[in-house]
Amino acid sequence: MEECCSTKPKKQTPHNHEGHSHDHSHETGDKSTFQMFLPAIASFVLLLIGIALDNYIKPNWFTELTRLGWYLIAYIPVGLPVLKEAYESIINGDVFSEFFLMGIATVGAFAIGEYPEGVAVMLFYSVGEVFQAMAVTKAKSNIKSLLDQRPDEVTVVKDGKPQTVKAEKVNIGEIIQLKSGEKLGLDGELLSETASFNTAALTGESKPDTKTKGEAVLAGMINLNTVSQVKVTTAYKDSKLSKILELVQNATAQKAPTELFIRKFAKIYTPIVVFLAIGITLFPYFFVNDYQFKSWLYRALIFLVISCPCALVISIPLGYFGGIGAGSRNGILFKGSNFLDVLANVQNVVMDKTGTMTEGVFKVQEINFNNEFNKDEILKFVNALESISSHPVATAIHDYVGEIDHSINLENVEEIAGHGLRATINGKEILVGNFKLMEKFNINYDIKAKNLVYTLIAVAYDKKFVGYITIADTIKPDAQMAINKLKSLGIKTTMLSGDKTSVVKYVADTLGIANAFGDLLPEDKVNKIKEIKTQNQSVAFVGDGVNDAPVVALSDVGIAMGGLGSDATIETADVVIQDDKPSKIPMAINIGKQTKKIVWQNITLAFAVKGVVLALGAGGIATMWEAVFADVGVALLAILNAVRIQKMKF
């Protein structure tokens, strides 16, 4: 019997926030767009008036001291916050921050009398910072609005009367009344006979999902028809949506290697740039005949403005955050930007069968028992024993046989991994599982099980072979599309299953999966993954999230089908596909590829433009205006490119 229930050990220690040299928290608080731009607007107006007084009006009173005062007033709204940030960074031990670079560049410009350029550099830098803040805030709010669909208040029925209360104060066991069009605030069990829900908040799918009495319904689902009643089963803070929201909001703590490299690079790069700027100012004195300190200091200040690594430090995390957001919008949850990188380069997708490529909804097709046994009695025994398992096969048998006979006394119950179940009933041993279980306990049978293209549940009682139960599963509608897309991406596919080989081969052949192996124990699956890994190839393992812990731990990235299934899935998988659709596997890989592509476009753009303007600045050709473009302009272009992924269709 193919196992499907277990958990995966975490590959990463949780959420250690990397220290870095540039703090771009960009908290905008409750400020309006106008309030955010107000300092820049004030500075811009004063700068324009100053330039007009300098070059066109030229009044007598606009002398050197007055000029300095005027441009200082223009500088303060945009410059003071940056100088404050620079001071706080230095106090915290981070001397070479970008705030420090911009501070010394603009103060230096004032020192050599280039007042308008000093104001202009800080003005454009501040405008760029506001745009960055808006981009980051929008990315975060997009993700939050996608997931945090819980209403703050719900209607609870108490003593037959509806009362509106805070969702977080509702206790387990209370009954919520849900009107048509209302969102459910907590996880629960449907008490009404039927109800249709929009599950887009959880799965990315707006297609109505009809639930029947007794089925689980989750926070964030929208009731589409008549008034329904739901019994609360989970506290507000423990709801599945709360966990998903927390997962995605914390996803940026797991940094991608590229992102970590840029952070470390900036720490080394910035002090080098400062010392180079000092060198540009002083060294020419020894080599240039007509050395002018003011001229070479100006070049050094340009060099500092250009060298600011703002474009890299902001746009790269924003690119990864955009990828995480794009996944969330499509019902795919990435636990960190590092997994986007891994998926972008994955070479093998290894998948489970049951619940992954097939529906995992088994139905009993045939009961084939020897006549010497009482068929109904044995089925009751099997049903009672299978009741300890959460495997889909157990559910199929329960659906076929009916209510469990609790008068049956089960003793010495044992679950044998990869084989099935064993127990004692009425002093006699009963075995229920695959044919390997029969062989393990030396039960003779005359069935050629390997030739049957169905899942077979073998039964033995009192050391005798009783017969088998035939169970069939169906392939998911989009499984074929998923395999075709994986092939088009050049990714090798393999199916590993504990189910019998004939069934696994049949499903694999139907879908066109290159390699398929059945009758595998958990350790056999591990060995198969190791074989692939020995070829120095990356592996993504896709399962229903409930078993195969060793395989998932060994893989480079674990993708769990069953976001609406067990809580263990959400907590332990690297990537969670919330609506169980196999077609989301290539979609997740494509999101990873597009994210990495955008990140490297930004890196190339920043280095190329900065490199050219740095050379021009050091040679005295570029002015502060080119420097502003190389810093703020490139940063804005990179940010616009980074947020582009949130608009893509996958």
Side-chain angles (χ1 to χ4, degrees):
M1 191 187 303
E2 184 183 352
E3 294 297 319
C4 348
C5 308
S6 72
T7 58
K8 170 194 166 191
K10 288 185 184 293
K11 282 190 216 155
Q12 313 261 320
T13 43
H15 316 320
N16 60 333
H17 293 269
E18 284 286 329
H20 51 79
S21 55
H22 306 277
D23 178 16
H24 281 279
S25 55
H26 294 307
E27 291 298 330
T28 59
D30 296 322
K31 289 183 181 179
S32 67
T33 304
F34 177 73
Q35 286 174 315
M36 290 166 68
F37 278 106
L38 189 57
I41 293 169
S43 181
F44 180 64
V45 170
L46 289 169
L47 176 63
L48 284 182
I49 294 170
I51 291 170
L53 291 170
D54 254 341
N55 298 291
Y56 302 105
I57 303 171
K58 300 179 182 178
N60 295 330
W61 57 266
F62 203 60
T63 58
E64 190 61 30
L65 198 60
T66 315
R67 277 186 80 236
L68 174 61
W70 185 276
Y71 285 115
L72 271 176
I73 294 168
Y75 179 84
I76 286 169
V78 289
L80 203 58
V82 176
L83 295 177
K84 184 185 171 189
E85 290 274 10
Y87 172 75
E88 288 175 357
S89 294
I90 292 167
I91 293 297
N92 293 325
D94 180 17
V95 176
F96 298 106
S97 66
E98 67 176 79
F99 309 112
F100 176 73
L101 288 185
M102 299 309 297
I104 59 172
T106 52
V107 170
F110 268 82
I112 60 174
E114 301 289 349
Y115 308 144
E117 292 190 12
V119 175
V121 167
M122 194 60 87
L123 169 63
F124 288 116
Y125 175 76
S126 298
V127 170
E129 287 288 290
V130 173
F131 277 119
Q132 290 165 20
M134 290 170 67
V136 172
T137 304
K138 189 171 189 301
K140 288 183 177 179
S141 65
N142 280 350
I143 289 175
K144 190 165 184 178
S145 64
L146 280 166
L147 294 173
D148 197 6
Q149 301 286 336
R150 302 163 298 180
D152 295 327
E153 296 180 333
V154 295
T155 304
V156 175
V157 179
K158 290 185 179 178
D159 302 321
K161 295 180 181 178
Q163 297 179 18
T164 302
V165 296
K166 292 282 184 185
E168 58 197 29
K169 293 184 178 178
V170 177
N171 298 316
I172 293 171
E174 291 194 80
I175 295 170
I176 294 175
Q177 183 172 289
L178 201 62
K179 296 175 187 172
S180 177
E182 272 191 325
K183 289 174 187 170
L184 183 58
L186 299 97
D187 294 355
E189 177 188 317
L190 186 65
L191 297 180
S192 305
E193 288 302 319
T194 60
S196 290
F197 293 91
N198 178 333
T199 63
L202 289 156
T203 64
E205 291 288 326
S206 56
K207 183 181 173 183
D209 186 3
T210 302
K211 301 287 184 183
T212 55
K213 186 175 181 177
E215 282 196 85
V217 285
L218 304 174
M221 289 183 173
I222 302 170
N223 185 22
L224 294 176
N225 44 25
T226 56
V227 176
S228 304
Q229 290 196 334
V230 175
K231 181 181 177 182
V232 176
T233 57
T234 311
Y236 183 80
K237 65 182 174 63
D238 296 325
S239 72
K240 184 128 356 217
L241 192 60
S242 297
K243 290 180 180 179
I244 293 170
L245 179 60
E246 183 183 358
L247 163 73
V248 177
Q249 287 180 324
N250 290 337
T252 47
Q254 300 284 8
K255 305 293 184 189
T258 312
E259 195 173 349
L260 291 174
F261 167 75
I262 291 298
R263 295 279 185 207
K264 290 171 184 173
F265 169 79
K267 275 189 165 184
I268 300 164
Y269 164 86
T270 311
I272 289 173
V273 160
V274 172
F275 289 117
L276 283 174
I278 294 169
I280 289 170
T281 308
L282 302 177
F283 283 172
Y285 173 78
F286 301 102
F287 305 104
V288 178
N289 293 327
D290 57 343
Y291 173 79
Q292 288 183 321
F293 175 78
K294 183 179 176 180
S295 172
W296 285 99
L297 177 60
Y298 182 69
R299 293 187 190 189
L301 295 175
I302 292 170
F303 187 83
L304 283 178
V305 174
I306 301 163
S307 64
C308 184
C310 182
L312 294 170
V313 175
I314 282 299
S315 66
I316 290 169
L318 191 60
Y320 283 113
F321 207 94
I324 292 168
S328 300
R329 193 165 52 253
N330 288 285
I332 303 166
L333 302 182
F334 295 95
K335 279 203 170 177
S337 49
N338 49 338
F339 300 119
L340 283 162
D341 263 11
V342 175
L343 278 177
N345 298 316
V346 79
Q347 295 159 292
N348 293 270
V349 169
V350 179
M351 63 205 76
D352 190 18
K353 179 183 73 69
T354 308
T356 301
M357 304 310 286
T358 63
E359 295 285 1
V361 180
F362 288 90
K363 289 186 179 177
V364 172
Q365 304 295 314
E366 181 188 5
I367 308 293
N368 197 320
F369 287 173
N370 293 334
N371 292 331
E372 62 180 284
F373 294 95
N374 182 323
K375 178 181 172 182
D376 292 336
E377 181 185 46
I378 296 294
L379 281 175
K380 284 181 180 179
F381 290 168
V382 171
N383 194 27
L385 180 56
E386 287 284 359
S387 67
I388 70 163
S389 171
S390 58
H391 192 283
V393 164
T395 307
I397 291 170
H398 175 68
D399 290 345
Y400 182 83
V401 178
E403 289 301 314
I404 296 159
D405 186 345
H406 294 288
S407 66
I408 297 169
N409 184 26
L410 293 171
E411 296 177 333
N412 307 317
V413 177
E414 181 186 1
E415 185 166 359
I416 302 165
H419 291 76
L421 300 164
R422 176 193 186 194
T424 304
I425 299 176
N426 301 330
K428 296 175 182 177
E429 184 182 67
I430 183 168
L431 300 169
V432 180
N434 54 30
F435 281 86
K436 286 186 290 185
L437 183 68
M438 302 295 110
E439 292 162 9
K440 185 177 178 71
F441 288 92
N442 299 315
I443 305 296
N444 295 319
Y445 59 90
D446 56 357
I447 305 295
K448 291 184 179 179
K450 290 183 179 179
N451 297 333
L452 296 169
V453 188
Y454 288 111
T455 298
L456 302 181
I457 306 304
V459 181
Y461 183 60
D462 193 19
K463 304 292 183 184
K464 294 178 183 176
F465 181 66
V466 174
Y468 60 87
I469 301 169
T470 303
I471 292 178
D473 190 8
T474 54
I475 295 171
K476 289 183 179 179
D478 63 332
Q480 187 67 67
M481 184 201 308
I483 299 302
N484 291 345
K485 285 188 176 178
L486 288 172
K487 284 182 178 178
S488 69
L489 291 168
I491 294 168
K492 299 169 190 171
T493 53
T494 303
M495 181 178 281
L496 304 180
S497 178
D499 207 345
K500 63 182 217 167
T501 301
S502 59
V503 177
V504 178
K505 289 282 189 189
Y506 171 76
V507 172
D509 290 345
T510 303
L511 295 174
I513 294 171
N515 303 301
F517 304 92
D519 292 307
L520 298 178
L521 297 173
E523 56 266 32
D524 298 327
K525 293 183 180 181
V526 168
N527 291 332
K528 291 292 181 187
I529 294 288
K530 282 181 178 176
E531 282 178 28
I532 298 171
K533 299 273 282 183
T534 53
Q535 300 167 25
N536 294 321
Q537 294 193 346
S538 55
V539 180
F541 179 80
V542 191
D544 58 2
V546 226
N547 110 325
D548 298 320
V551 188
V552 177
L554 191 62
S555 63
D556 295 290
V557 57
I559 304 175
M561 308 291 275
L564 299 183
S566 75
D567 287 340
T569 305
I570 296 220
E571 290 172 12
T572 60
D574 302 322
V575 180
V576 180
I577 294 175
Q578 291 173 264
D579 57 7
D580 297 351
K581 289 191 172 181
S583 57
K584 296 291 177 74
I585 302 167
M587 184 185 287
I589 292 168
N590 195 24
I591 290 172
K593 284 182 180 295
Q594 293 301 324
T595 302
K596 191 169 185 182
K597 185 176 170 184
I598 281 174
V599 164
W600 279 102
Q601 282 173 353
N602 285 346
I603 290 171
T604 306
L605 172 72
F607 277 118
V609 175
K610 283 181 182 289
V612 170
V613 185
L614 275 173
L616 294 174
I621 301 169
T623 67
M624 280 279 188
W625 301 104
E626 282 87 355
V628 167
F629 172 75
D631 176 45
V632 180
V634 172
L636 289 176
L637 287 174
I639 288 159
L640 290 171
N641 192 37
V643 298
R644 187 166 57 91
I645 193 168
Q646 296 182 56
K647 306 291 183 186
M648 288 182 181
K649 289 186 179 179
F650 296 97

